[in-house]
Amino acid sequence: MSDRQFGLGMATALVVGNTIGMGIFMQPAALAPFGLNALTGWAAVIFGCVCLAVSFAALARKLPEAAGPFGYVRATLGEVIAFPALWCYWISVWATLPVLAIGVVGYFVNVFPAAAAISPAVLAVSFIWIFIAVNLLGVRSGGRVQVATSLLKVVPLVLVMVVGAFSILSDPGAWTPNLPATPITGHASMAAAAVALYAMLGFESAAIAAGRVKDPQRTIPRATLIGTLVVAALYVSIVAIGMLVVPQETLAASDAPFVTIADRLLGPGNGRWISLFVVVSGLGCLNGWALLAGELTRTLASHRLLPPILGESNRFGVPWASLLLTGGLATALGIMNFSATLVGAFTKLSLIVSAANLPLYVCCSFALFTLLKRDSAGLSPGLWFAGAGGVAFAAFAFKGVGWEPFIWALVLALAGLPIYLWMRRRAGAPAATPGL
């Protein structure tokens, strides 16, 4: 049987499913301080993601054997450039764990008020290690959790969209006083775009899974574009509804913004039941990312980019050392960046994750430039604009993340250089960068 099992429907579902995570459930609060700049920031994110999606599509058509973004970069720019891109992506994967855990905590306390007596940092770390333990028991155990939670994320999204749209359209005047008064500026739009980008991470999923996609030259471009636009439309709708139905200051201070929005739409106390769906969905995301972090670390070890022990499996067939390493790194990063509010910690960590993803996007844009210059047969000259748009968006987002998250991402990225040189020296030959 062929390994290429994903058609257009499954590939599009992969993009949508991997992109919609815990980020959307915290976005209304994280973006509230920016007011209407949230919408201009989202416009920039949509533009950038479409440019990058077009770039991924062209690379998939031209390099179907490369099997993903890292393969594209390695085939065009070489291993020296491909490794930092892969390393930064690996950082973003395990750094996502504390972001998800912190996002879950605010909603968990709404479902179980007694948990408010426990430190939020302790709760977040506990959630991380619960799912490290679940995955240590095997992929089948983690897979059951993922199947049970994957669809529940849709419930609160659909409820807020339907009820919110109906309420606003039936009586627009009742909600317009909540429009934020924050002026629209270039700097605020950049900062809002950097926060919004976190919620879109994963739109490249079809390209990363290129090795399992049927007819990748046609399927990946269509699935990536369709999935990106569907998710972006959903997110912008949710953010816009939140801005209209809840005063800016109230929304910005909420640790569970979907509950705050639902309370305004359905009456006080009714939003609490949404928390249950969000908690289950968020824990499912945490489980999936813990699994991905362990498997990606094992892949790096199998290609001699990390020590061999990280590729070893326990009796359940899972990379025990990789899971323990990523759990430890995620815990340390989360504790060191915890702030006075859950929304503050979520925003700060999500900016670090966004900054760690941007090098991959820049490298893929330059990979496209290299192809256009080296062998442009079958490629439209208009792709120069798509690549330039991707680079421009990455620069725009880098400017928006701010110095502290940028420095965090830079230091973590530079930490990979001595490891790469050490592993290359031990191997006695250039290490291969995996094409995922």
Side-chain angles (χ1 to χ4, degrees):
M1 180 182 294
S2 173
D3 288 335
R4 297 186 181 272
Q5 302 171 14
F6 289 2
L8 177 60
M10 290 184 67
T12 303
L14 181 68
V15 173
V16 174
N18 280 8
T19 306
I20 297 177
M22 197 64 207
I24 185 55
F25 298 117
M26 297 297 289
Q27 281 275 304
L31 289 173
F34 301 104
L36 294 177
N37 290 282
L39 299 183
T40 57
W42 262 109
V45 169
I46 293 171
F47 169 79
C49 288
V50 168
C51 287
L52 290 166
V54 171
S55 299
F56 286 140
L59 290 166
R61 284 195 301 269
K62 197 69 175 176
L63 300 170
E65 74 287 349
F70 311 114
Y72 305 152
V73 178
R74 180 180 59 180
T76 54
L77 303 179
E79 183 187 80
V80 174
I81 302 298
F83 174 78
L86 176 57
W87 179 266
C88 289
Y89 181 75
W90 175 69
I91 290 170
S92 74
V93 169
W94 58 257
T96 296
L97 299 182
V99 182
L100 293 173
I102 289 168
V104 169
V105 168
Y107 287 95
F108 185 81
V109 171
N110 268 276
V111 179
F112 305 102
I118 305 173
S119 165
V122 172
L123 283 174
V125 170
S126 299
F127 288 144
I128 291 173
W129 284 99
I130 285 171
F131 286 98
I132 293 295
V134 167
N135 280 278
L136 283 170
L137 296 176
V139 173
R140 180 176 297 180
S141 175
R144 289 197 185 105
V145 175
Q146 198 65 19
V147 170
T149 60
S150 59
L151 295 178
L152 290 176
K153 69 179 73 174
V154 177
V155 175
L157 296 177
V158 172
L159 179 63
V160 168
M161 282 190 65
V162 172
V163 177
F166 178 80
S167 300
I168 292 169
L169 293 175
S170 61
D171 188 10
W175 306 106
T176 50
N178 292 325
L179 275 173
T182 305
I184 296 177
T185 65
H187 178 74
S189 295
M190 288 180 185
V195 175
L197 175 60
Y198 172 77
M200 287 300 294
L201 300 180
F203 77 93
E204 72 281 356
S205 296
I208 289 177
R212 300 188 64 191
V213 175
K214 297 177 183 176
D215 190 13
Q217 295 94 324
R218 294 184 60 199
T219 303
I220 290 177
R222 293 158 66 193
T224 303
L225 283 171
I226 294 171
T228 297
L229 292 174
V230 167
V231 172
L234 177 63
Y235 281 11
V236 171
S237 299
I238 293 293
V239 170
I241 289 171
M243 283 195 298
L244 283 171
V245 303
V246 181
Q248 184 179 14
E249 296 79 8
T250 303
L251 190 59
S254 175
D255 287 332
F258 262 64
V259 174
T260 303
I261 295 170
D263 280 346
R264 295 279 295 187
L265 292 171
L266 303 174
N270 288 306
R272 179 183 174 188
W273 301 107
I274 285 185
S275 293
L276 181 60
F277 290 97
V278 177
V279 167
V280 175
S281 171
L283 292 177
C285 291
L286 185 56
N287 173 70
W289 281 92
L291 174 64
L292 177 60
E295 290 300 325
L296 181 57
T297 306
R298 171 157 60 183
T299 299
L300 288 168
S302 69
H303 288 270
R304 297 185 299 178
L305 294 172
L306 285 176
I309 190 174
L310 297 175
E312 295 180 2
S313 301
N314 64 9
R315 63 190 181 92
F316 297 106
V318 299
W320 63 272
S322 292
L323 284 168
L324 293 177
L325 172 66
T326 53
L329 291 171
T331 299
L333 182 66
I335 290 175
M336 285 189 288
N337 287 278
F338 218 87
S339 61
T341 65
L342 291 175
V343 174
F346 178 90
T347 302
K348 185 176 179 181
L349 285 166
S350 65
L351 288 173
I352 294 174
V353 173
S354 295
N357 269 270
L358 290 172
L360 170 65
Y361 298 154
V362 173
C363 287
C364 283
S365 294
F366 278 98
L368 179 60
F369 293 151
T370 302
L371 276 182
L372 287 166
K373 187 176 180 180
R374 181 190 300 168
D375 180 16
S376 62
L379 297 175
S380 167
L383 289 171
W384 284 101
F385 294 100
V391 174
F393 167 68
F396 185 85
F398 261 128
K399 176 68 174 177
V401 298
W403 281 109
E404 187 175 357
F406 173 77
I407 290 173
W408 262 103
L410 180 63
V411 170
L412 290 170
L414 290 176
L417 181 60
I419 294 175
Y420 172 71
L421 294 175
W422 175 56
M423 294 303 298
R424 183 174 176 177
R425 182 177 179 181
R426 283 189 61 187
T433 302
L436 297 179

PDB file of all heavy atoms in Angstrom, residues 179-201:
ATOM      1  N   LEU A 179     -16.959  49.312  20.956  1.00  0.00           N
ATOM      2  CA  LEU A 179     -15.853  49.433  20.016  1.00  0.00           C
ATOM      3  C   LEU A 179     -14.653  50.101  20.700  1.00  0.00           C
ATOM      4  O   LEU A 179     -14.785  51.160  21.303  1.00  0.00           O
ATOM      5  CB  LEU A 179     -16.266  50.261  18.798  1.00  0.00           C
ATOM      6  CG  LEU A 179     -16.974  49.511  17.669  1.00  0.00           C
ATOM      7  CD1 LEU A 179     -17.473  50.490  16.610  1.00  0.00           C
ATOM      8  CD2 LEU A 179     -16.029  48.481  17.043  1.00  0.00           C
ATOM      9  N   PRO A 180     -13.462  49.505  20.614  1.00  0.00           N
ATOM     10  CA  PRO A 180     -12.286  50.076  21.284  1.00  0.00           C
ATOM     11  C   PRO A 180     -11.866  51.394  20.645  1.00  0.00           C
ATOM     12  O   PRO A 180     -12.014  51.595  19.434  1.00  0.00           O
ATOM     13  CB  PRO A 180     -11.208  49.001  21.093  1.00  0.00           C
ATOM     14  CG  PRO A 180     -11.666  48.187  19.938  1.00  0.00           C
ATOM     15  CD  PRO A 180     -13.157  48.228  19.952  1.00  0.00           C
ATOM     16  N   ALA A 181     -11.341  52.284  21.469  1.00  0.00           N
ATOM     17  CA  ALA A 181     -10.935  53.606  20.998  1.00  0.00           C
ATOM     18  C   ALA A 181      -9.445  53.700  20.711  1.00  0.00           C
ATOM     19  O   ALA A 181      -8.958  54.764  20.329  1.00  0.00           O
ATOM     20  CB  ALA A 181     -11.319  54.657  22.042  1.00  0.00           C
ATOM     21  N   THR A 182      -8.700  52.618  20.880  1.00  0.00           N
ATOM     22  CA  THR A 182      -7.255  52.633  20.638  1.00  0.00           C
ATOM     23  C   THR A 182      -6.965  53.030  19.192  1.00  0.00           C
ATOM     24  O   THR A 182      -7.495  52.413  18.264  1.00  0.00           O
ATOM     25  CB  THR A 182      -6.652  51.239  20.907  1.00  0.00           C
ATOM     26  OG1 THR A 182      -6.988  50.828  22.224  1.00  0.00           O
ATOM     27  CG2 THR A 182      -5.137  51.272  20.749  1.00  0.00           C
ATOM     28  N   PRO A 183      -6.134  54.050  18.962  1.00  0.00           N
ATOM     29  CA  PRO A 183      -5.849  54.470  17.584  1.00  0.00           C
ATOM     30  C   PRO A 183      -5.068  53.419  16.813  1.00  0.00           C
ATOM     31  O   PRO A 183      -4.285  52.656  17.391  1.00  0.00           O
ATOM     32  CB  PRO A 183      -5.025  55.754  17.768  1.00  0.00           C
ATOM     33  CG  PRO A 183      -4.442  55.637  19.134  1.00  0.00           C
ATOM     34  CD  PRO A 183      -5.442  54.892  19.958  1.00  0.00           C
ATOM     35  N   ILE A 184      -5.300  53.369  15.514  1.00  0.00           N
ATOM     36  CA  ILE A 184      -4.588  52.428  14.647  1.00  0.00           C
ATOM     37  C   ILE A 184      -3.237  53.029  14.257  1.00  0.00           C
ATOM     38  O   ILE A 184      -3.171  54.127  13.717  1.00  0.00           O
ATOM     39  CB  ILE A 184      -5.410  52.105  13.388  1.00  0.00           C
ATOM     40  CG1 ILE A 184      -6.716  51.393  13.782  1.00  0.00           C
ATOM     41  CG2 ILE A 184      -4.609  51.232  12.423  1.00  0.00           C
ATOM     42  CD1 ILE A 184      -7.634  51.108  12.616  1.00  0.00           C
ATOM     43  N   THR A 185      -2.152  52.312  14.571  1.00  0.00           N
ATOM     44  CA  THR A 185      -0.801  52.762  14.233  1.00  0.00           C
ATOM     45  C   THR A 185      -0.025  51.596  13.634  1.00  0.00           C
ATOM     46  O   THR A 185      -0.379  50.418  13.832  1.00  0.00           O
ATOM     47  CB  THR A 185      -0.054  53.268  15.478  1.00  0.00           C
ATOM     48  OG1 THR A 185       0.144  52.169  16.398  1.00  0.00           O
ATOM     49  CG2 THR A 185      -0.826  54.380  16.170  1.00  0.00           C
ATOM     50  N   GLY A 186       1.045  51.925  12.927  1.00  0.00           N
ATOM     51  CA  GLY A 186       1.875  50.876  12.335  1.00  0.00           C
ATOM     52  C   GLY A 186       2.517  49.990  13.385  1.00  0.00           C
ATOM     53  O   GLY A 186       2.542  48.763  13.253  1.00  0.00           O
ATOM     54  N   HIS A 187       3.037  50.605  14.460  1.00  0.00           N
ATOM     55  CA  HIS A 187       3.707  49.825  15.502  1.00  0.00           C
ATOM     56  C   HIS A 187       2.728  48.874  16.195  1.00  0.00           C
ATOM     57  O   HIS A 187       3.041  47.692  16.408  1.00  0.00           O
ATOM     58  CB  HIS A 187       4.332  50.760  16.531  1.00  0.00           C
ATOM     59  CG  HIS A 187       4.999  50.044  17.672  1.00  0.00           C
ATOM     60  ND1 HIS A 187       6.206  49.387  17.535  1.00  0.00           N
ATOM     61  CD2 HIS A 187       4.618  49.859  18.964  1.00  0.00           C
ATOM     62  CE1 HIS A 187       6.538  48.833  18.688  1.00  0.00           C
ATOM     63  NE2 HIS A 187       5.598  49.107  19.573  1.00  0.00           N
ATOM     64  N   ALA A 188       1.539  49.365  16.534  1.00  0.00           N
ATOM     65  CA  ALA A 188       0.550  48.514  17.203  1.00  0.00           C
ATOM     66  C   ALA A 188       0.083  47.398  16.280  1.00  0.00           C
ATOM     67  O   ALA A 188      -0.166  46.269  16.725  1.00  0.00           O
ATOM     68  CB  ALA A 188      -0.633  49.354  17.674  1.00  0.00           C
ATOM     69  N   SER A 189      -0.039  47.692  14.985  1.00  0.00           N
ATOM     70  CA  SER A 189      -0.451  46.660  14.033  1.00  0.00           C
ATOM     71  C   SER A 189       0.610  45.571  13.918  1.00  0.00           C
ATOM     72  O   SER A 189       0.289  44.382  13.816  1.00  0.00           O
ATOM     73  CB  SER A 189      -0.710  47.284  12.660  1.00  0.00           C
ATOM     74  OG  SER A 189      -1.812  48.171  12.703  1.00  0.00           O
ATOM     75  N   MET A 190       1.893  45.961  13.952  1.00  0.00           N
ATOM     76  CA  MET A 190       2.978  44.977  13.919  1.00  0.00           C
ATOM     77  C   MET A 190       2.925  44.070  15.145  1.00  0.00           C
ATOM     78  O   MET A 190       3.053  42.842  15.043  1.00  0.00           O
ATOM     79  CB  MET A 190       4.335  45.689  13.884  1.00  0.00           C
ATOM     80  CG  MET A 190       4.669  46.362  12.581  1.00  0.00           C
ATOM     81  SD  MET A 190       6.296  47.171  12.690  1.00  0.00           S
ATOM     82  CE  MET A 190       6.355  48.008  11.106  1.00  0.00           C
ATOM     83  N   ALA A 191       2.737  44.689  16.318  1.00  0.00           N
ATOM     84  CA  ALA A 191       2.677  43.905  17.552  1.00  0.00           C
ATOM     85  C   ALA A 191       1.474  42.966  17.542  1.00  0.00           C
ATOM     86  O   ALA A 191       1.578  41.801  17.962  1.00  0.00           O
ATOM     87  CB  ALA A 191       2.609  44.842  18.759  1.00  0.00           C
ATOM     88  N   ALA A 192       0.331  43.451  17.061  1.00  0.00           N
ATOM     89  CA  ALA A 192      -0.866  42.607  16.993  1.00  0.00           C
ATOM     90  C   ALA A 192      -0.653  41.455  16.014  1.00  0.00           C
ATOM     91  O   ALA A 192      -1.086  40.325  16.267  1.00  0.00           O
ATOM     92  CB  ALA A 192      -2.075  43.446  16.568  1.00  0.00           C
ATOM     93  N   ALA A 193       0.031  41.715  14.900  1.00  0.00           N
ATOM     94  CA  ALA A 193       0.299  40.657  13.919  1.00  0.00           C
ATOM     95  C   ALA A 193       1.176  39.565  14.519  1.00  0.00           C
ATOM     96  O   ALA A 193       0.972  38.373  14.261  1.00  0.00           O
ATOM     97  CB  ALA A 193       0.966  41.255  12.682  1.00  0.00           C
ATOM     98  N   ALA A 194       2.157  39.963  15.327  1.00  0.00           N
ATOM     99  CA  ALA A 194       3.041  38.975  15.952  1.00  0.00           C
ATOM    100  C   ALA A 194       2.265  38.072  16.903  1.00  0.00           C
ATOM    101  O   ALA A 194       2.500  36.861  16.969  1.00  0.00           O
ATOM    102  CB  ALA A 194       4.173  39.684  16.695  1.00  0.00           C
ATOM    103  N   VAL A 195       1.315  38.656  17.649  1.00  0.00           N
ATOM    104  CA  VAL A 195       0.477  37.852  18.551  1.00  0.00           C
ATOM    105  C   VAL A 195      -0.456  36.963  17.747  1.00  0.00           C
ATOM    106  O   VAL A 195      -0.641  35.774  18.049  1.00  0.00           O
ATOM    107  CB  VAL A 195      -0.335  38.771  19.489  1.00  0.00           C
ATOM    108  CG1 VAL A 195      -1.300  37.954  20.339  1.00  0.00           C
ATOM    109  CG2 VAL A 195       0.605  39.565  20.390  1.00  0.00           C
ATOM    110  N   ALA A 196      -1.064  37.513  16.692  1.00  0.00           N
ATOM    111  CA  ALA A 196      -2.015  36.747  15.883  1.00  0.00           C
ATOM    112  C   ALA A 196      -1.338  35.596  15.154  1.00  0.00           C
ATOM    113  O   ALA A 196      -1.954  34.548  14.936  1.00  0.00           O
ATOM    114  CB  ALA A 196      -2.706  37.675  14.885  1.00  0.00           C
ATOM    115  N   LEU A 197      -0.072  35.773  14.769  1.00  0.00           N
ATOM    116  CA  LEU A 197       0.625  34.729  14.016  1.00  0.00           C
ATOM    117  C   LEU A 197       0.646  33.409  14.761  1.00  0.00           C
ATOM    118  O   LEU A 197       0.540  32.342  14.142  1.00  0.00           O
ATOM    119  CB  LEU A 197       2.061  35.181  13.709  1.00  0.00           C
ATOM    120  CG  LEU A 197       2.960  34.147  13.027  1.00  0.00           C
ATOM    121  CD1 LEU A 197       2.384  33.728  11.676  1.00  0.00           C
ATOM    122  CD2 LEU A 197       4.379  34.696  12.869  1.00  0.00           C
ATOM    123  N   TYR A 198       0.767  33.461  16.093  1.00  0.00           N
ATOM    124  CA  TYR A 198       0.817  32.211  16.862  1.00  0.00           C
ATOM    125  C   TYR A 198      -0.387  31.329  16.562  1.00  0.00           C
ATOM    126  O   TYR A 198      -0.262  30.101  16.455  1.00  0.00           O
ATOM    127  CB  TYR A 198       0.882  32.501  18.366  1.00  0.00           C
ATOM    128  CG  TYR A 198       0.746  31.249  19.196  1.00  0.00           C
ATOM    129  CD1 TYR A 198       1.807  30.374  19.332  1.00  0.00           C
ATOM    130  CD2 TYR A 198      -0.466  30.915  19.801  1.00  0.00           C
ATOM    131  CE1 TYR A 198       1.682  29.197  20.064  1.00  0.00           C
ATOM    132  CE2 TYR A 198      -0.599  29.742  20.533  1.00  0.00           C
ATOM    133  CZ  TYR A 198       0.478  28.892  20.657  1.00  0.00           C
ATOM    134  OH  TYR A 198       0.335  27.721  21.359  1.00  0.00           O
ATOM    135  N   ALA A 199      -1.552  31.952  16.422  1.00  0.00           N
ATOM    136  CA  ALA A 199      -2.778  31.180  16.181  1.00  0.00           C
ATOM    137  C   ALA A 199      -2.794  30.535  14.809  1.00  0.00           C
ATOM    138  O   ALA A 199      -3.563  29.595  14.579  1.00  0.00           O
ATOM    139  CB  ALA A 199      -4.005  32.076  16.343  1.00  0.00           C
ATOM    140  N   MET A 200      -1.957  31.009  13.878  1.00  0.00           N
ATOM    141  CA  MET A 200      -1.934  30.451  12.525  1.00  0.00           C
ATOM    142  C   MET A 200      -0.819  29.429  12.325  1.00  0.00           C
ATOM    143  O   MET A 200      -0.725  28.814  11.250  1.00  0.00           O
ATOM    144  CB  MET A 200      -1.774  31.573  11.497  1.00  0.00           C
ATOM    145  CG  MET A 200      -3.011  32.426  11.285  1.00  0.00           C
ATOM    146  SD  MET A 200      -4.442  31.477  10.697  1.00  0.00           S
ATOM    147  CE  MET A 200      -3.861  30.964   9.072  1.00  0.00           C
ATOM    148  N   LEU A 201       0.029  29.238  13.322  1.00  0.00           N
ATOM    149  CA  LEU A 201       1.102  28.262  13.167  1.00  0.00           C
ATOM    150  C   LEU A 201       0.506  26.878  12.948  1.00  0.00           C
ATOM    151  O   LEU A 201      -0.377  26.446  13.674  1.00  0.00           O
ATOM    152  CB  LEU A 201       2.008  28.267  14.400  1.00  0.00           C
ATOM    153  CG  LEU A 201       2.695  29.605  14.711  1.00  0.00           C
ATOM    154  CD1 LEU A 201       3.563  29.480  15.947  1.00  0.00           C
ATOM    155  CD2 LEU A 201       3.509  30.092  13.524  1.00  0.00           C
TER     156      LEU A 201
END
